[in-house]
């Protein structure tokens, strides 16, 4: 029977059997699986159950931050099958003993039509395609070259309207595009005036049929061609003949091309409206290519700015290891995106003491990186050689609570080490406990059971101490990106392989400790991308 493995932040591991009865996940005490202390988890965030085929199904219940399965993108108010894992806020829930979905039957199958559907369907022969002469095909190719050199939508539409007026003898012309909300943008026009109300003097009937219904129209005698739909504009202007076609890219109507004659009639043929429709297709392709090109330029601009942000963030970390008396400190950071929310630092406080911090901001990417930079500035001001650490943690906690959203919090270890004796004191704000590397064994420290920074403004923090001894060789601090690194099957690395790797090290120098764990993570994850930021900080004790 499939099971859901939930690892709580207090170290407890819960195994829940998955059946046809939905299991509710969330922060509320009424949920089947309660996920506390995470502002990204909604009160009733998601449900998990087995469907009739034995597949595990996950439904997001309208959560604020969405739900992810198997490392995919977040989804809202939807149902997804899951094989390996479920991500709810910062909780990565593991699925075990899950059966893969049954293979679909071979061949292509179609859902049968309902009896009423075919009765309401009209079919048209495939022979009604665009009919163009060789001369007009050449004109289209020339137009494609002209609009291909346009780098702004208005420039592209100007080129297209000129080609329409030249090829079809329009005395007046207009090209209008839809906005994302379906409204019409200010059009590009030739010789079309506005009336006293500001309306363009063209046939609203033809424009609307093209924009809304995607219809092509050819009008040579308005009184006959538009019987029952004769608009006031066709009489008042008067319009002798007109062509109107939609601009379509794939199945989406982007706009309309309209042209007419008002001094003398010009008999337009079906081939003429086909030619105008072919021009409209070129315009649609050109507009889409231009949109993609502009999106590429924008993404390149964003990528450049992100690379600059990455360089700035790297400058916030220590420039190298720190040698001070009996200790050597070193660290490493790998964000899951260009920038991340993990943070580590160590710096001289004077009076023979060194300050240190390792922290993990909720979320990833640029928002978390901004909070991280804010935290660094605050730590550098608040942490001194003599201020009690609980007071520093309380001050940082109130600062984060007042200046971040309700769904943002920070797990952190804030410490101070005596460089002469090696004695370390620290407070733990909801962060994974450090590991002490002694001769022949690795010993986890107690986690302190305090809330992360930014959740409860009056939270109190307790000091913990690590006394150096002849067998203490190193101390490792890490973010949850280490133990929650997932392999391609979705299985998390967990703590046991980490402690095993540290216990087997030939030496416990800071650089060796960091290098061995980075190799362990990369071997476990494989060529895939890390789903979470990863930060390590090691203290080496020199005897």
């Amino acid at each position: 029977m499939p099971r859901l493995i939930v690892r709580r932040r207090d170290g407890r591991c819960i195994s829940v059997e998955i059946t046809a009865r939905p299991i509710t996940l969330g922060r509320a005490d009424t949920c089947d699986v309660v996920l506390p202390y995470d502002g990204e988890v909604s009160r009733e965030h998601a449900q998990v159950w087995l469907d009739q085929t034995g597949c595990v199904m996950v439904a997001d219940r309208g959560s604020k931050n969405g739900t992810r399965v198997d490392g995919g993108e977040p989804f809202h108010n939807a149902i997804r099958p899951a094989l390996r894992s479920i991500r709810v806020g910062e909780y990565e829930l593991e699925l075990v003993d899950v059966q893969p979905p049954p293979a679909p039957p071979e061949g292509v199958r179609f859902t049968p039509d309902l009896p009423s559907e075919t009765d309401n369907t009209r079919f048209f022969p495939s022979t009604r395609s665009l009919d163009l002469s060789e001369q007009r095909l050449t004109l289209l190719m020339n137009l494609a070259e002209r609009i291909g050199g346009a780098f702004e939508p208005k420039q592209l539409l100007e080129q297209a309207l000129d080609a329409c007026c030249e090829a079809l003898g329009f005395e007046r012309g207009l090209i209008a595009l839809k906005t994302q909300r379906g409204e019409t943008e200010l059009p590009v026009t030739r010789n079309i005036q506005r009336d006293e109300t500001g309306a363009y003097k063209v046939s609203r009937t033809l424009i609307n049929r093209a924009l809304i219904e995607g219809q092509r129209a050819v009008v040579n005698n308005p009184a006959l061609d538009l019987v029952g739909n004769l608009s006031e504009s066709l009489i008042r202007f008067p319009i002798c003949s007109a062509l109107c076609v939609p601009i379509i890219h794939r199945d989406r109507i982007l706009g309309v091309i309209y042209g007419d004659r008002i001094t003398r009639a010009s008999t337009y043929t079906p081939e003429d409206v086909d030619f105008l429709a072919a021009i409209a297709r070129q315009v649609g392709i050109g507009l889409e290519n231009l949109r993609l090109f502009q999106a590429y330029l924008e993404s390149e601009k964003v990528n450049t700015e992100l690379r600059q942000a990455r360089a700035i963030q790297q400058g916030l970390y220590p420039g190298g290891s720190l040698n001070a008396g009996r200790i050597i400190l070193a660290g490493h950071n790998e964000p899951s995106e260009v920038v991340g929310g993990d943070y580590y630092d160590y710096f001289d406080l004077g009076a023979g003491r060194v300050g240190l911090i390792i922290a993990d901001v909720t979320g990833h990417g640029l928002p978390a990186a901004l909070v991280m930079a804010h935290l660094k500035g605050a730590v550098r001001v608040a942490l001194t050689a003599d201020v009690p650490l609980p007071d520093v943690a309380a001050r940082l906690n109130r600062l984060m609570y007042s200046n971040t959203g309700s769904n943002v919090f920070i797990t952190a270890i804030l410490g101070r080490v005596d460089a002469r004796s090696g004695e370390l004191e620290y407070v733990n704000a909801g962060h994974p406990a450090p590991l002490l590397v002694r001769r022949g064994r690795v010993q986890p420290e107690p986690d302190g059971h305090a809330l992360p920074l930014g959740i409860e403004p009056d939270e109190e923090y307790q000091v913990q101490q690590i006394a150096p001894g002849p067998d203490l060789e190193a101390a490792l601090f890490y973010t949850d990106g280490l133990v929650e690194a997932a392999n391609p099957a979705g299985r998390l690395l967990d703590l046991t392989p980490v402690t095993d790797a540290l216990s087997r090290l030939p030496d416990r120098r800071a650089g060796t400790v960091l290098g061995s764990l980075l190799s362990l993570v990369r071997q476990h994850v494989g060529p895939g991308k890390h789903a979470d930021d990863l930060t390590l900080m090691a203290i080496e004790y020199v005897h």
Side-chain angles (χ1 to χ4, degrees), residues 113 116-126 209 213 215:
D113 291 328
S116 61
E117 287 184 343
T118 53
D119 296 339
N120 296 328
T121 305
R122 297 173 62 198
F123 295 94
F124 296 88
S126 60
R209 285 200 171 189
E213 301 176 22
Q215 291 185 359

Side-chain angles (χ1 to χ4, degrees), residues 11-143:
R12 289 186 297 160
C13 184
I14 303 172
S15 177
V16 182
E17 187 173 271
I18 303 174
T19 65
R21 185 185 75 83
I23 301 167
T24 303
L25 315 175
R27 285 191 294 113
D29 294 336
T30 56
C31 294
D32 300 294
V33 176
V34 180
L35 305 175
Y37 310 135
D38 190 338
E40 292 189 2
V41 179
S42 297
R43 291 186 58 81
E44 291 188 0
H45 197 105
Q47 286 187 324
V48 185
W49 72 92
L50 285 184
D51 70 1
Q52 295 178 344
T53 67
C55 294
V56 175
M57 308 301 295
V58 180
D60 182 88
R61 293 176 58 83
S63 67
K64 179 180 178 182
N65 297 292
T67 305
R68 292 190 289 173
V69 297
D70 299 335
E73 295 296 321
F75 61 93
H76 300 264
N77 287 314
I79 300 174
R80 300 283 189 273
L83 287 174
R84 303 185 301 273
S85 64
I86 304 170
R87 185 81 175 192
V88 176
E90 290 300 306
Y91 286 90
E92 187 81 17
L93 313 180
E94 182 182 2
L95 295 170
V96 297
D97 300 329
V98 176
Q99 299 297 323
E106 295 183 0
V108 178
R109 297 181 300 117
F110 297 95
T111 303
D113 291 328
L114 296 175
S116 61
E117 287 184 343
T118 53
D119 296 339
N120 296 328
T121 305
R122 297 173 62 198
F123 295 94
F124 296 88
S126 60
T127 54
R128 185 64 180 95
S129 57
L130 300 182
D131 184 11
L132 302 176
S133 66
E134 183 176 347
Q135 178 186 12
R136 287 186 165 175
L137 285 173
T138 302
L139 290 173
L140 276 179
M141 293 179 63
N142 292 336
L143 174 62

Side-chain angles (χ1 to χ4, degrees), residues 261-296:
R261 297 186 63 84
I262 58 175
T263 60
R264 59 185 178 85
S266 176
T267 303
Y268 290 118
T269 65
E271 289 77 15
D272 292 326
V273 78
D274 283 350
F275 180 48
L276 187 60
I279 292 177
R281 286 189 183 181
Q282 290 289 333
V283 172
I285 294 171
L287 289 170
E288 181 65 13
N289 289 342
L290 187 56
R291 184 191 68 80
L292 294 174
F293 178 68
Q294 291 175 335
Y296 167 76

Side-chain angles (χ1 to χ4, degrees), residues 60-341:
D60 182 88
R61 293 176 58 83
S63 67
K64 179 180 178 182
N65 297 292
T67 305
R68 292 190 289 173
V69 297
D70 299 335
E73 295 296 321
F75 61 93
H76 300 264
N77 287 314
I79 300 174
R80 300 283 189 273
L83 287 174
R84 303 185 301 273
S85 64
I86 304 170
R87 185 81 175 192
V88 176
E90 290 300 306
Y91 286 90
E92 187 81 17
L93 313 180
E94 182 182 2
L95 295 170
V96 297
D97 300 329
V98 176
Q99 299 297 323
E106 295 183 0
V108 178
R109 297 181 300 117
F110 297 95
T111 303
D113 291 328
L114 296 175
S116 61
E117 287 184 343
T118 53
D119 296 339
N120 296 328
T121 305
R122 297 173 62 198
F123 295 94
F124 296 88
S126 60
T127 54
R128 185 64 180 95
S129 57
L130 300 182
D131 184 11
L132 302 176
S133 66
E134 183 176 347
Q135 178 186 12
R136 287 186 165 175
L137 285 173
T138 302
L139 290 173
L140 276 179
M141 293 179 63
N142 292 336
L143 174 62
E145 292 182 6
R146 288 165 63 180
I147 65 177
F151 292 95
E152 294 291 337
K154 184 176 181 180
Q155 181 186 6
L156 186 152
L157 299 182
E158 295 276 4
Q159 295 276 10
L161 189 54
D162 287 344
C164 294
C165 292
E166 294 169 9
L168 292 164
F170 293 152
E171 294 178 339
R172 306 189 314 157
L174 173 147
I175 300 181
L177 301 181
K178 281 185 177 181
T179 65
Q180 291 183 346
R181 294 183 298 177
E183 301 168 352
T184 305
E185 291 182 347
L186 193 66
V188 173
T189 64
R190 292 288 183 273
N191 303 322
I192 293 181
Q193 306 299 319
R194 302 194 196 201
D195 63 17
E196 61 279 359
T197 67
Y200 288 95
K201 297 179 180 181
V202 297
S203 169
R204 185 172 57 211
T205 301
L206 299 182
I207 297 293
N208 286 342
R209 285 200 171 189
L211 280 175
I212 298 172
E213 301 176 22
Q215 291 185 359
R216 301 180 232 166
V218 52
V219 179
N220 289 314
N221 187 337
L224 296 178
D225 291 348
L226 293 177
V227 173
N229 289 291
L230 190 63
S231 67
E232 182 184 353
S233 60
L234 287 168
I235 299 174
R236 283 194 297 119
F237 299 145
I239 295 173
C240 300
S241 54
L243 293 176
C244 188
V245 298
I247 300 171
I248 298 177
H249 181 70
R250 296 184 176 166
D251 295 327
R252 189 162 58 99
I253 299 175
L254 305 180
V256 61
I257 300 180
Y258 171 90
D260 64 22
R261 297 186 63 84
I262 58 175
T263 60
R264 59 185 178 85
S266 176
T267 303
Y268 290 118
T269 65
E271 289 77 15
D272 292 326
V273 78
D274 283 350
F275 180 48
L276 187 60
I279 292 177
R281 286 189 183 181
Q282 290 289 333
V283 172
I285 294 171
L287 289 170
E288 181 65 13
N289 289 342
L290 187 56
R291 184 191 68 80
L292 294 174
F293 178 68
Q294 291 175 335
Y296 167 76
L297 292 179
E298 186 64 27
S299 68
E300 280 298 296
K301 178 182 177 183
V302 171
N303 288 335
T304 298
E305 292 175 349
L306 285 175
R307 286 192 292 269
Q308 293 171 346
R310 173 63 177 162
I312 292 171
Q313 186 178 55
Q314 286 297 298
L316 300 178
Y317 298 119
S321 60
L322 174 63
N323 295 7
R326 292 187 56 191
I327 59 170
I328 300 174
L329 294 95
H332 179 81
N333 167 261
E334 288 185 8
S336 61
E337 301 180 18
V338 180
V339 292

Side-chain angles (χ1 to χ4, degrees), residues 40 64-65 90 302 305-306 309-310 313 316-317 335-343 360-376 400 403-405 407-410 533:
E40 292 189 2
K64 179 180 178 182
N65 297 292
E90 290 300 306
V302 171
E305 292 175 349
L306 285 175
R310 173 63 177 162
Q313 186 178 55
L316 300 178
Y317 298 119
S336 61
E337 301 180 18
V338 180
V339 292
D342 278 7
Y343 164 49
D360 183 359
V361 180
T362 52
H364 310 288
L366 193 56
L370 292 173
V371 177
M372 184 274 271
H374 181 49
L375 176 64
K376 174 186 172 66
M400 293 300 119
N403 292 276
T404 58
N407 63 335
V408 176
F409 60 87
I410 304 166
D533 302 332

